[in-house]
Amino acid sequence: MILTKSWLNEWIDLSDKGLKELTQALNSIGLEVDKAYHMKAPDRVVVGLVREKTKHENSEKLNITQVDVGGEILQIVCKAANVEAGQFVAVALEGARMPSGMEIQKTKLRGEDSCGMICSSAELGFAKNNEGILILDESMGELELGRALNGYELFDDAFIEVELTPNRGDCLSIYGVARDLSVVFEQNLKDKFPFKEGENVLGIGRILKLQVAKELNSLFVYRAVELKEKISTKLSSALRLAQIGLLSCDALENLLHYATHSTGVLFNAYDFDRLRKNDETATLNLTKGAHGETKILCQDKILSVSGLYQDGFARANESSKIIIIEAHYTEPSIIAASKKFHEKQDEKTFHRSFRGSEPGLTLGMDFLLGQISGSQEAVVYSSTQQVLEYKNNALIPINVKTINNTIGQAICRDEILKILKKLGFELIISNDNLINVKAPLHRSDIKNIADICEEVVRIVGIDNIDSKNLEFTEKNRLSKGYQDYKNLLTLRQRAADHGYFESLHYVLDHEKELEIFGFERVNLKLINPITAELNTLRTTLLNHLLNAASLNAKNSQKIIKLFESGMVFNAKAEELHRIAFVHSGLKEEPKISNKAKPEMVNFYDFLLDIKNIVGNFELQKSNHAFLSPYEQASVHQNGRKIGFVGRVHLGLERARDLAKSYVCELDLSALQKERKSARAYSKFPSVSRDLSILVPKNFDYETIKNRIRAFHFDILENFRLVDLYSDESLGDCYSLTINFIFKDAHKTLEEAQVNETLASIVSALEEYGLKLR
């Protein structure tokens, strides 16, 4: 978006604002300035009047002019084809230094004195507005001979190019930018009086009628103008249009472009003589297209599609006699939805309408008519034809506290309301906290409270918002169910890492087979079981696993390692989450280390697998009929029973055609995830001692373990059972060897300390009648 300070100054008083202050203000409200620089005519360039023009005797292209510069008349030889007597021109006097670096000097051209130069706009450092010299008119101000050209605002200006985000179509005009600046500078826009219609002129109803469909998504205002003579483009308009790249050879087109860039309103112009058929009136049909767009038709021909394009048929130009001018607005969302269905498109029109053109059509039309009516060459018909029924933007409920929390800084309620009101928002205040806001029609991008917050921040200024460290707080959404799932996933992965294959089965099982395991039957009976073998809810995972192991054994599998996790049911048919393991057959594959004769799986190897999968646990005596009475135990963790482990009873192994097999079933709800804790590692060496104790064969090792733990020795780091020996010489006793590890965190242990601790342990065990071997 290109604008100049003098152009802005027509809408808001910026006479006391410098270019730096202006660019800072634009940047602070989100209108990023891409370019900004001063445009000033060189010194010693003045207003002159061509008094006389004669042809140079020695050149076909040169003219000799007599130019009045307000105190003297200079003879200047000029090559421009458009120079004529009676023109006000820009004259560079002797000594003037031009933007190109050339210094003007008195010289002779083909034998004639030339005391200056009549300049073009390009030679003065401005955009090129024609193919010859710059012809001045009073659109730049009152013309005074000899007055410095840079004494006029138009030639002592500032060029500003603003980079707009796609949602800010409301600032694609001088008026739109001035509207935002009026808020930040706390100034009112300059009064723009409505167009005053002339007396004794025909009304537009004499020549134009509208047929309008219901529920259009567009707004329209129509006026009619009769051109008595060919119109021209004023200097100020031509120079500004040249700067934005929209200057054309057609004066009417220039007028429409200038009005659009000034106000943001989109215009179409139709030649009335092409619209009317046989009578003196023209009828326009405004219809709603299939995708919500509005089509303007006449004599069954499409003249234009609002916001997209105008067809060449009936397009007016500066030679037209009577012109129907159409100001139009269509909702941007409709433009976006219908664009792809129309091959014809005017890119300049679409660029504005897609982002949101100015819906204040009356403002734009009055501005355009004001430009036209200043000339004696045109007569404006009275009255208007218009379609202004349109839905308003929805109400947005806002809360001052929410706005401040979003912005991160407290802004008083009155300041927020003042900003929104200045920006054109309609405020409906119901109470001190809740306020309903209706965005102005030109801000179709405002949809929610976040957009409102952005508007407040724009005007307050992002640099005026205190910077704070980012605080990101998120509610913990990790539920117990998720943690249980992750824990189970870890167990399954560990089981797979140790060579166990996951098995999946129905929650239904064979009632008779389940009786062998001795668990309580489920009281809930299945009325219509799937099959006779699946006639009850399962009470354990082991029956399915052992059947799966049996099938694998019958298929010549020598190493069978399976696991399953899932639901089992108690007597009340309540769900219990379990995980079970089975290892049947060989301990490992045949290999060189075992001389191709691997051993069968044993209790200790199976326990090591379980430990590596679920973590540390303890074993206590158990009594399950389906397990071997010699190799079974209940599994405990942190003093709580979580399951059982053991070898399958020999009778059950034979019944299922299984080799030596071990099983384990654990309660997942009771199984605790092992917490890893770090502690300082002693740099002093540890001391290891073994005690071999004679223990009666019916004596429980748990008693020994609990008695030793009860001492809570600081230097006793760990102890474990390392050997169990029996022979005839020991009679009814076992030789139980326990290994003790001693370590001090602060010093090297002395022999006396270790012996004293061992003596205390031996003395305590002697209370149970136990002796050293």
Side-chain angles (χ1 to χ4, degrees):
M1 172 63 191
I2 296 174
L3 45 96
T4 64
K5 183 183 174 184
S6 65
W7 209 345
L8 279 171
N9 211 40
E10 293 181 359
W11 296 89
I12 181 174
D13 185 6
L14 299 176
S15 56
D16 61 340
K17 303 291 188 295
L19 180 59
K20 183 178 180 180
E21 185 179 0
L22 189 55
T23 55
Q24 286 177 343
L26 289 169
N27 283 321
S28 72
I29 59 176
L31 306 181
E32 184 180 350
V33 176
D34 192 38
K35 292 179 184 176
Y37 54 84
H38 287 285
M39 297 188 304
K40 186 177 181 180
D43 293 335
R44 295 190 59 76
V45 177
V46 299
V47 176
L49 174 62
V50 179
R51 295 289 185 182
E52 183 182 333
K53 166 195 164 184
T54 59
K55 199 71 178 170
H56 196 295
E57 294 180 354
N58 300 321
S59 174
E60 293 181 359
K61 295 183 178 181
L62 296 179
N63 297 297
I64 301 173
T65 61
Q66 305 299 320
V67 183
D68 187 347
V69 292
E72 62 177 326
I73 295 179
L74 302 177
Q75 177 173 296
I76 299 175
V77 178
C78 180
K79 184 180 179 181
N82 66 329
V83 65
E84 296 291 344
Q87 293 174 337
F88 285 92
V89 293
V91 180
L93 303 178
E94 184 179 357
R97 184 171 293 277
M98 309 307 287
S100 63
M102 177 181 68
E103 184 175 344
I104 303 301
Q105 296 179 352
K106 185 176 181 180
T107 186
K108 280 183 178 290
L109 292 174
R110 296 288 179 96
E112 296 290 342
D113 290 335
S114 184
C115 303
M117 182 174 76
I118 302 176
C119 305
S120 68
S121 59
E123 289 168 333
L124 295 173
F126 291 80
K128 183 178 180 180
N129 75 321
N130 59 20
E131 294 299 328
I133 60 170
L134 181 66
I135 300 171
L136 308 180
D137 62 31
E138 293 198 348
S139 65
M140 59 184 274
E142 185 180 353
L143 297 174
E144 299 176 22
L145 295 180
R147 180 179 172 182
L149 196 66
N150 56 25
Y152 293 89
E153 186 180 24
L154 188 64
F155 291 97
D156 183 11
D157 209 348
F159 177 95
I160 302 171
E161 185 172 351
V162 177
E163 192 72 30
L164 295 176
T165 53
N167 67 309
R168 293 309 307 274
D170 60 300
C171 286
L172 280 172
S173 66
I174 304 298
Y175 167 63
V177 175
R179 181 168 49 200
D180 267 17
L181 287 175
S182 71
V183 181
V184 73
F185 288 142
E186 297 187 354
Q187 293 179 216
N188 292 324
L189 291 173
K190 291 183 177 180
D191 291 329
K192 291 294 180 183
F193 297 104
F195 172 72
K196 187 176 181 180
E197 296 180 345
E199 298 180 357
N200 302 319
V201 294
L202 293 175
I204 191 173
R206 294 282 190 95
I207 62 171
L208 179 66
K209 294 181 180 179
L210 299 182
Q211 293 181 351
V212 183
K214 294 182 178 179
E215 299 181 355
L216 294 179
N217 293 311
S218 304
L219 307 177
F220 295 93
V221 170
Y222 290 90
R223 296 298 297 255
V225 177
E226 182 179 358
L227 300 182
K228 299 293 186 181
E229 297 178 10
K230 189 175 180 179
I231 58 175
S232 59
T233 303
K234 299 175 182 177
L235 172 63
S236 59
S237 301
L239 204 57
R240 288 168 177 170
L241 287 173
Q243 287 165 349
I244 64 177
L246 291 178
L247 182 65
S248 75
C249 298
D250 189 290
L252 177 61
E253 189 175 346
N254 288 336
L255 272 172
L256 299 178
H257 283 323
Y258 188 77
T260 294
H261 201 80
S262 294
T263 66
V265 175
L266 294 174
F267 296 96
N268 290 325
Y270 307 111
D271 190 325
F272 173 70
D273 290 333
R274 296 185 185 182
L275 295 181
R276 62 182 175 180
K277 201 169 185 181
N278 297 319
D279 53 16
E280 295 299 318
T281 63
T283 302
L284 299 183
N285 294 319
L286 279 58
T287 64
K288 190 173 183 180
H291 307 285
E293 73 278 21
T294 304
K295 298 179 180 180
I296 297 89
L297 298 92
C298 183
Q299 302 175 24
D300 296 327
K301 292 183 178 180
I302 296 179
L303 302 181
S304 64
V305 177
S306 179
L308 290 177
Y309 71 92
Q310 180 183 358
D311 194 80
F313 171 73
R315 184 191 293 269
N317 55 45
E318 61 183 7
S319 300
S320 301
K321 299 302 180 184
I322 299 178
I323 301 169
I324 304 298
I325 300 176
E326 171 191 271
H328 59 94
Y329 168 83
T330 301
E331 186 180 350
S333 61
I334 300 299
I335 299 296
S338 58
K339 173 182 181 292
K340 59 184 178 181
F341 300 101
H342 294 274
E343 294 182 3
K344 290 184 179 180
Q345 286 171 20
D346 183 326
E347 288 301 323
K348 293 174 183 176
T349 300
F350 174 75
H351 177 78
R352 288 180 173 275
S353 61
F354 177 70
R355 287 160 175 77
S357 59
E358 174 58 46
L361 304 186
T362 302
L363 169 78
M365 185 64 81
D366 286 351
F367 179 88
L368 175 60
L369 296 179
Q371 297 289 310
I372 295 174
S373 64
S375 170
Q376 299 295 323
E377 305 155 349
V379 176
V380 180
Y381 283 66
S382 66
S383 191
T384 64
Q385 296 275 29
Q386 58 188 25
V387 179
L388 296 178
E389 294 182 6
Y390 190 73
K391 61 183 180 182
N392 292 319
N393 286 329
L395 289 175
I396 303 172
I398 66 170
N399 183 288
V400 174
K401 183 178 179 181
T402 303
I403 291 177
N404 287 334
N405 288 340
T406 304
I407 294 173
Q409 182 167 310
I411 301 173
C412 73
R413 177 177 179 273
D414 291 343
E415 179 68 15
I416 292 173
L417 298 183
K418 177 183 174 183
I419 289 171
L420 294 178
K421 191 171 182 180
K422 289 281 284 182
L423 287 171
F425 288 79
E426 182 181 340
L427 307 177
I428 303 172
I429 303 174
S430 54
N431 55 55
D432 290 341
N433 294 320
L434 184 63
I435 305 165
N436 288 313
V437 174
K438 186 184 292 184
L441 198 55
H442 63 265
R443 291 305 305 273
S444 59
D445 59 310
I446 304 294
K447 302 295 184 184
N448 51 48
I449 193 170
D451 296 328
I452 300 292
C453 292
E454 185 180 349
E455 292 303 295
V456 174
V457 171
R458 279 199 317 113
I459 303 306
V460 171
I462 191 66
D463 293 335
N464 296 322
I465 302 295
D466 295 334
S467 60
K468 296 180 180 179
N469 293 329
L470 176 64
E471 295 182 5
F472 185 81
T473 305
E474 177 64 27
K475 181 181 178 181
N476 186 357
R477 304 180 189 278
L478 303 181
S479 63
K480 183 179 182 302
Y482 175 77
Q483 295 292 353
D484 290 344
Y485 161 75
K486 291 294 290 182
N487 292 341
L488 176 58
L489 194 62
T490 301
L491 293 177
R492 291 167 60 200
Q493 185 61 53
R494 288 178 183 172
D497 291 343
H498 285 81
Y500 287 83
F501 290 87
E502 188 165 17
S503 183
L504 297 174
H505 297 95
Y506 290 111
V507 295
L508 303 176
D509 210 334
H510 196 300
E511 185 174 11
K512 192 166 185 179
E513 289 182 0
L514 288 175
E515 291 177 359
I516 301 171
F517 296 91
F519 295 104
E520 290 184 291
R521 291 184 180 183
V522 179
N523 293 329
L524 184 66
K525 299 296 181 181
L526 299 183
I527 298 175
N528 188 20
I530 299 174
T531 66
E533 289 77 23
L534 299 173
N535 57 0
T536 187
L537 295 171
R538 64 185 178 186
T539 54
T540 178
L541 301 173
L542 295 180
N543 188 50
H544 281 316
L545 281 178
L546 290 176
N547 285 337
S550 177
L551 287 172
N552 278 274
K554 290 173 182 178
N555 281 287
S556 304
Q557 294 295 321
K558 302 300 182 184
I559 303 175
I560 303 168
K561 300 174 78 171
L562 304 174
F563 80 96
E564 181 176 3
S565 63
M567 293 296 176
V568 302
F569 300 85
N570 61 17
K572 297 179 181 179
E574 295 172 336
E575 292 183 350
L576 306 171
H577 204 175
R578 300 281 193 259
I579 187 169
F581 305 85
V582 60
H583 187 168
S584 177
L586 298 177
K587 171 185 174 181
E588 58 187 352
E589 294 286 348
K591 52 187 176 181
I592 294 175
S593 61
N594 57 35
K595 299 180 181 180
K597 294 181 180 180
E599 297 178 356
M600 301 295 286
V601 62
N602 61 60
F603 196 25
Y604 299 105
D605 292 329
F606 185 64
L607 287 174
L608 182 60
D609 277 351
I610 301 302
K611 178 183 177 182
N612 289 334
I613 294 170
V614 304
N616 292 323
F617 56 83
E618 297 177 350
L619 300 178
Q620 295 184 15
K621 287 194 301 184
S622 66
N623 185 23
H624 293 281
F626 65 93
L627 297 178
S628 169
Y630 308 106
E631 292 181 287
Q632 65 166 285
S634 58
V635 181
H636 293 254
Q637 204 174 58
N638 296 325
R640 182 180 179 185
K641 181 180 177 180
I642 63 171
F644 58 84
V645 63
R647 180 181 173 182
V648 177
H649 194 283
L650 186 59
L652 185 55
E653 283 180 349
R654 291 173 179 172
R656 303 289 174 96
D657 295 324
L658 292 170
K660 191 176 183 182
S661 303
Y662 290 88
V663 295
C664 174
E665 184 170 282
L666 304 175
D667 183 356
L668 278 171
S669 62
L671 188 62
Q672 296 182 1
K673 185 178 179 181
E674 187 176 7
R675 294 180 61 86
K676 295 182 179 180
S677 57
R679 60 179 181 177
Y681 186 82
S682 174
K683 63 182 180 180
F684 300 100
S686 62
V687 177
S688 176
R689 292 286 188 273
D690 290 341
L691 285 181
S692 293
I693 306 167
L694 291 176
V695 180
K697 289 184 177 180
N698 60 350
F699 195 85
D700 192 354
Y701 172 69
E702 193 72 20
T703 304
I704 298 173
K705 186 167 61 174
N706 292 336
R707 185 67 183 90
I708 296 173
R709 284 179 175 173
F711 280 109
H712 299 293
F713 292 118
D714 291 337
I715 64 172
L716 180 58
E717 187 176 64
N718 191 18
F719 68 94
R720 62 192 179 98
L721 181 64
V722 294
D723 187 47
L724 182 65
Y725 175 74
S726 175
D727 64 19
E728 293 179 357
S729 64
L730 297 178
D732 294 333
C733 292
Y734 287 113
S735 173
L736 198 68
T737 302
I738 304 175
N739 175 254
F740 296 89
I741 302 296
F742 300 97
K743 184 185 283 188
D744 194 308
H746 307 291
K747 63 180 180 178
T748 301
L749 286 173
E750 297 180 0
E751 190 73 20
Q753 286 180 278
V754 176
N755 291 338
E756 182 181 351
T757 303
L758 285 174
S760 299
I761 294 173
V762 171
S763 177
L765 295 179
E766 287 177 348
E767 296 175 5
Y768 297 105
L770 307 180
K771 297 180 180 180
L772 291 178
R773 180 182 171 190

